[in-house]
């Protein structure tokens, strides 16, 4: 559909609506909801204490917070989120804020631009999640940059993005793949290399779309190109980093990944810069500057004499000079590390930040593109002349809060496909994740029956367990209810069945995942299972992930047949396609069966001999 440049202005308007909705919801929640509900909704983290202080890049103060005795945190904040820190009970006028740089099950690290007040190192604290306006600002900047492409090749690229001009492709050249590729993967790599503007890789679960991107990165590097690997989430970027490293590429990770594996940590920009000589000198200068600032504070605190004020001013001026010199050295170290990298990996939201703001690339590879809003995905097009987008429109869509901005829920991947047709896309059809029994239903329902199982997994089995089981709780009285202090739902009866089956499987906990659409049920399951090695989370957290065994609690059980989140079939598609060998689903057919999709799921289980009633289940 042809569009004019006003399309980008309309997107800016939708972003403003989304930003206003987020702010309004936050303000309303904090004004009207009890503290317990804010905690349950993941807006507040209570009763944490500072455990460790250190200095990061740019002289930022890094503070690690934990619960007493190292207890598990009830929620996991994501790197890049902004939090305000305040005393648990005392009130303060202005709470200092910082950015989450690292998060684990038991700790969260926050970076402060300035040293935080003394209360941060004393007693129990609360962390309040704040709206992150920086991402909105960067998306608006990206839209303005694309809209301003008025001359020559840049204008043509803008017209391609608007759907007014067809994308161009060079002749597909033969290439020597670094790893075995099936027919569709080989075609996808070849056409991605030939794309002058963009190319779409449609990768259903387990079909290796990220491996295709890694191969495209390697082939471009062999041609002397500088490559950017990006995605909306830290987890997706980390996965691309790992694949690029496995391919032998020199890659650097910008930002702080959510859960960097030990063998990846040495490839993050922070750690690579730490080893640079310029950074070592800068660190000494920062230490000296902080000592001078401390001296200045003491001078002011010991009296009001002219001499002491003069000493304080002199110390502050010298500290400012030293910090300026240190930042120049740091920028030099950062630039050197980035220039040496063949591949740079970063989230979309960080591409317009201070580290990569001035960087340009020959090609950008955007993974999980269907999870990014169009304004966010367009940032990649401001960093590179050609972009390869990989994603799956049948999995999680972009998250949009405002009903008035629901058009943001259509990703750039989907719009480009609608505008330019199937000729700009390659569907990957061979999946390497699960056996045929687990593939059949999602393939038929979501992918037109086009998927096939690779020979290595087609007949794979988990010893002692069938590939698929649906446990029907109809009539058991396992009714849904709101969790304590929250509007989110839980189902204690289903939680019991899940916990029993986890124990029955006897697998190492790292090989098992428990998924539910509802936060309250996830928390109830975590408490019941009480094992940090066992991942229990909502559907969104499992996008792009896989486990040997996946257990799914659908929760909904009510007389009205209300399904809520379960009506988003793309979300459920994610839940049903994470298991490599065994999928165990618990739900109430009396509630679920009123929806055609779940009716077909239950019929499929019955036809496959995978249906069990909870009345007869041990």
């Amino acid at each position: 559909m042809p569009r004019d440049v006003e399309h980008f202005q309309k997107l800016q308007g939708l972003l403003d609506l989304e930003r206003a909705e987020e702010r309004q919801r936050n303000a309303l929640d904090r004004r009207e909801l009890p503290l317990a509900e804010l905690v349950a909704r993941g807006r507040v983290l209570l009763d944490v204490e500072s455990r460790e202080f250190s200095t990061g890049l740019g002289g930022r103060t890094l503070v690690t917070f934990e619960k007493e005795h190292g207890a598990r945190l009830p929620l996991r904040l994501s790197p890049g989120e902004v939090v305000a820190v305040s005393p648990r009970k005392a009130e303060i006028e202005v709470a200092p804020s910082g950015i989450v740089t690292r998060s684990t099950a038991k700790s969260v690290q926050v970076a402060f631009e300035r040293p935080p007040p003394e209360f941060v190192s004393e007693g129990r604290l609360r962390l309040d999640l704040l709206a992150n306006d920086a991402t909105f600002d960067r998306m608006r900047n990206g839209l303005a940059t694309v809209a301003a492409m008025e001359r020559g090749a840049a204008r043509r690229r803008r017209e391609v993005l608007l759907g007014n001009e067809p994308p161009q492709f060079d002749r597909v050249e033969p290439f020597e793949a670094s790893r075995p590729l099936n027919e569709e993967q080989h075609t996808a790599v070849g056409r991605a290399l030939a794309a002058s503007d963009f190319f779409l890789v449609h990768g259903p679960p387990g079909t290796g779309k990220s491996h295709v991107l890694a191969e495209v990165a390697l082939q471009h590097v062999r041609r002397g190109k500088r490559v950017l690997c990006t995605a909306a989430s830290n987890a997706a970027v980390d996965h691309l980093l790992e694949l690029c490293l496995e391919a032998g590429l020199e890659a650097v990770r910008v930002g702080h990944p959510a859960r960097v594996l030990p063998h990846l940590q040495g490839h993050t920009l922070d750690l690579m810069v730490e080893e640079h000589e310029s950074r070592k000198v800068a660190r000494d200068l920062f230490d000296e500057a902080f000592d001078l600032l401390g001296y200045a504070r003491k001078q002011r605190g010991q009296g009001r004499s002219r001499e002491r004020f003069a000493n304080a001013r002199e110390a502050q001026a010298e500290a400012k000079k030293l910090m300026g010199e240190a930042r120049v050295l740091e920028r030099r170290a950062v630039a050197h590390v980035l220039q040496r990298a063949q591949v740079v990996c970063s989230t979309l939201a960080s591409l317009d930040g201070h580290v990569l703001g001035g960087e340009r690339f020959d090609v950008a590879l955007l993974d999980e593109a269907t999870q990014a809003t169009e304004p966010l995905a367009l940032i990649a097009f401001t960093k590179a002349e050609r972009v390869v987008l990989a994603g799956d429109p049948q999995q999680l869509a972009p998250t949009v809060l405002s009903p008035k901005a629901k058009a943001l829920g259509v990703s750039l991947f989907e719009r480009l496909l609608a505008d330019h047709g199937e000729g700009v896309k390659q569907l990957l059809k061979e999946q390497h994740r699960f056996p045929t029994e687990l593939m059949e239903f999602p393939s038929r329902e979501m992918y037109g029956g086009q998927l096939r199982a690779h020979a290595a997994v087609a007949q794979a089995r988990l010893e002692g367990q069938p590939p698929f089981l649906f446990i029907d709780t109809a009539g058991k009285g396992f009714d849904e209810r709101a969790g304590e202090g929250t509007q989110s739902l839980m189902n204690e009866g289903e939680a019991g069945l899940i916990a029993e089956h986890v124990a029955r499987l006897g697998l190492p906990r790292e090989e098992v995942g428990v998924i539910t659409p509802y936060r309250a049920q996830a928390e109830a399951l975590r408490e019941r299972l009480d094992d940090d090695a066992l991942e229990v989370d909502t559907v969104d957290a499992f996008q792009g992930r896989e486990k040997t065994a996946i257990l799914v609690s659908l929760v909904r059980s009510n007389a009205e047949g209300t399904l809520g989140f379960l009506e988003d079939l793309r979300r459920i598609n994610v839940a049903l396609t994470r298991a490599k060998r065994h999928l165990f689903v618990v739900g109430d057919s009396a509630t679920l069966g009123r929806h055609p999709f779940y009716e077909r799921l239950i019929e499929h289980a019955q036809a496959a001999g995978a249906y069990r009633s909870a009345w007869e289940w041990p």
Side-chain angles (χ1 to χ4, degrees):
M1 183 181 77
R3 296 175 180 80
D4 58 30
V5 75
E6 289 184 2
H7 171 73
F8 302 117
Q9 297 171 357
K10 292 176 182 177
L11 288 175
Q12 287 185 341
L14 294 175
L15 278 181
D16 291 341
L17 290 171
E18 181 70 1
R19 174 187 263 178
E21 178 74 17
E22 183 176 326
R23 287 175 172 173
Q24 184 177 355
R25 289 193 183 194
N26 288 343
L28 186 65
D29 285 352
R30 297 185 188 286
R31 185 168 64 250
E32 297 188 358
L33 295 179
L35 185 58
E37 174 70 7
L38 291 174
V39 172
R41 291 191 180 190
R43 307 297 308 171
V44 177
L45 186 59
L46 285 180
D47 295 323
V48 296
E49 300 175 355
S50 58
R51 287 285 184 258
E52 180 181 330
F53 288 74
S54 59
T55 302
L57 277 177
R60 297 177 183 87
T61 302
L62 304 179
V63 184
T64 300
F65 299 95
E66 295 179 359
K67 284 273 195 178
E68 190 176 13
H69 305 307
R72 182 176 54 81
L73 300 178
L75 72 101
R76 174 170 278 174
L77 298 170
S78 298
E81 291 185 316
V82 181
V83 295
V85 184
S86 57
R88 172 65 173 90
K89 295 183 178 179
E91 293 189 5
I92 57 175
E93 289 188 10
V94 180
S97 63
I99 297 176
V100 175
T101 56
R102 191 176 300 278
S103 177
T104 70
K106 295 184 178 182
S107 69
V108 57
Q109 185 187 73
V110 178
F112 297 89
E113 290 294 328
R114 298 177 181 82
E118 290 185 4
F119 75 77
V120 172
S121 60
E122 301 170 354
R124 296 188 178 184
L125 307 163
R126 62 180 279 175
L127 305 184
D128 288 71
L129 189 63
L130 304 179
N132 188 356
D133 286 342
T135 300
F136 282 104
D137 290 338
R138 290 169 183 175
M139 287 191 285
R140 284 182 62 88
N141 290 341
L143 289 171
T145 299
V146 176
M149 293 177 177
E150 290 284 356
R151 297 177 182 275
R155 181 182 178 87
R156 195 197 66 79
R157 288 178 58 235
R158 187 188 72 183
E159 293 305 301
V160 170
L161 288 172
L162 288 171
N164 301 330
E165 294 279 350
Q168 294 181 355
F169 291 85
D170 298 328
R171 186 168 64 89
V172 177
E173 300 284 352
F175 66 92
E176 183 179 346
S178 65
R179 58 188 296 273
L181 300 174
N182 60 47
E183 179 183 353
E184 294 87 9
Q185 288 174 332
H186 195 278
T187 300
V189 173
R191 296 205 63 206
L193 293 172
S196 298
D197 301 296
F198 75 88
F199 186 66
L200 307 178
V201 180
H202 182 181
T207 55
K209 62 180 174 56
S210 299
H211 285 276
V212 167
L213 289 185
E215 185 65 32
V216 173
L218 175 63
Q219 296 298 329
H220 272 301
V221 168
R222 285 178 177 176
R223 290 161 172 77
K225 305 296 185 182
R226 191 175 188 223
V227 178
L228 169 67
C229 286
T230 186
S233 71
N234 278 294
V237 176
D238 290 345
H239 186 46
L240 282 177
L241 169 65
E242 186 166 19
L243 294 176
C244 286
L245 293 173
E246 288 175 359
L249 296 174
E250 294 180 11
V252 59
R253 173 67 159 96
V254 175
H256 295 266
R259 282 168 264 180
V260 180
L261 297 172
H263 65 283
L264 296 180
Q265 290 176 350
H267 299 277
T268 58
L269 179 65
D270 280 30
L271 291 183
M272 294 175 77
V273 168
E274 285 294 329
E275 298 303 315
H276 196 279
E277 283 303 317
S278 293
R279 168 56 179 159
K280 294 176 181 177
V281 176
R283 196 160 50 232
D284 292 338
L285 291 177
F286 275 124
D287 289 342
E288 189 176 346
F290 287 136
D291 288 342
L292 286 168
L293 290 175
Y295 170 77
R297 283 195 296 271
K298 288 180 181 178
Q299 286 294 302
R300 284 200 176 90
Q302 290 176 355
R304 301 177 60 83
S305 73
R306 183 176 300 176
E307 181 182 2
R308 287 198 175 95
F309 274 110
N311 291 340
R313 281 195 300 270
E314 184 178 342
Q316 280 186 304
E318 181 63 19
K320 183 178 180 181
K321 177 184 175 184
L322 291 173
M323 284 188 169
E325 294 174 0
R327 290 192 174 101
V328 168
L329 289 169
E330 279 193 340
R331 286 194 292 270
R332 185 181 302 165
V334 168
H336 187 253
V337 171
L338 291 176
Q339 287 166 5
R340 289 181 56 191
Q342 297 170 321
V343 178
V344 174
C345 302
S346 172
T347 60
L348 285 163
S350 298
L351 296 183
D352 195 33
H354 70 281
V355 174
L356 294 177
E359 298 289 324
R360 294 284 300 172
F361 300 86
D362 297 304
V363 60
L365 310 179
L366 171 52
D367 204 0
E368 302 292 2
T370 47
Q371 276 193 276
T373 62
E374 179 170 338
L376 188 59
L378 281 171
I379 297 176
F381 284 84
T382 70
K383 307 302 291 184
E385 293 182 358
R386 63 184 71 182
V387 180
V388 180
L389 301 90
D392 181 7
Q394 299 302 327
Q395 296 189 60
L396 290 175
T399 300
V400 180
L401 299 177
S402 172
K404 297 178 181 178
K406 64 180 180 180
L408 287 175
V410 179
S411 67
L412 181 61
F413 184 109
E414 294 171 277
R415 185 177 70 73
L416 290 174
L417 180 59
D419 284 351
H420 296 288
E422 294 290 321
V424 299
K425 180 196 88 171
Q426 175 62 51
L427 173 67
L428 306 181
K429 299 179 181 180
E430 185 171 84
Q431 62 82 21
H432 298 248
R433 178 174 295 166
F434 32 62
T436 303
E437 291 90 338
L438 294 184
M439 180 191 70
E440 285 177 340
F441 183 76
S443 176
R444 184 172 66 245
E445 290 290 324
M446 310 301 287
Y447 305 103
Q450 296 187 77
L451 300 189
R452 65 180 184 272
H454 186 272
V457 299
Q459 302 300 320
R461 295 291 182 273
L462 179 63
E463 186 176 354
Q465 295 294 336
F468 177 42
L469 280 173
F470 180 90
I471 309 302
D472 185 1
T473 66
K476 286 290 286 185
F478 290 173
D479 294 336
E480 67 188 55
R481 69 174 180 84
E484 186 175 349
T486 178
Q487 295 177 350
S488 184
L489 298 175
M490 60 182 295
N491 188 313
E492 293 174 343
E494 287 192 10
L497 289 176
I498 293 287
E500 290 168 2
H501 196 59
V502 168
R504 188 180 297 116
L505 286 173
L507 287 172
R509 293 300 188 252
E510 294 81 4
E511 296 183 29
V512 180
V514 179
I515 304 177
T516 178
Y518 292 93
R519 189 186 303 112
Q521 182 74 342
E523 184 57 32
L525 284 161
R526 288 190 194 105
E527 291 182 2
R528 183 184 286 261
L529 294 164
D530 193 27
D531 190 335
D532 289 336
L534 175 66
E535 287 195 64
V536 181
D537 221 322
T538 57
V539 178
D540 299 48
F542 272 92
Q543 171 86 352
R545 309 283 307 288
E546 60 182 33
K547 295 281 187 178
T548 300
I550 290 288
L551 290 70
V552 181
S553 171
L554 295 175
V555 177
R556 300 312 299 254
S557 180
N558 56 74
E560 297 77 22
T562 303
L563 294 183
F565 284 153
L566 301 192
E567 291 185 355
D568 183 351
L569 301 185
R570 291 185 295 185
R571 177 171 269 108
I572 298 307
N573 184 40
V574 172
L576 298 180
T577 55
R578 302 303 98 193
K580 294 194 292 184
R581 297 294 179 267
H582 177 64
L583 175 65
F584 182 84
V585 181
V586 181
D588 179 357
S589 65
T591 300
L592 300 171
R594 302 186 194 186
H595 190 289
F597 176 89
Y598 294 99
E599 181 182 25
R600 293 193 295 272
L601 174 64
I602 295 166
E603 290 173 351
H604 171 76
Q606 292 170 334
Y611 174 91
R612 303 286 189 277
S613 169
W615 288 98
E616 61 184 11
W617 185 249

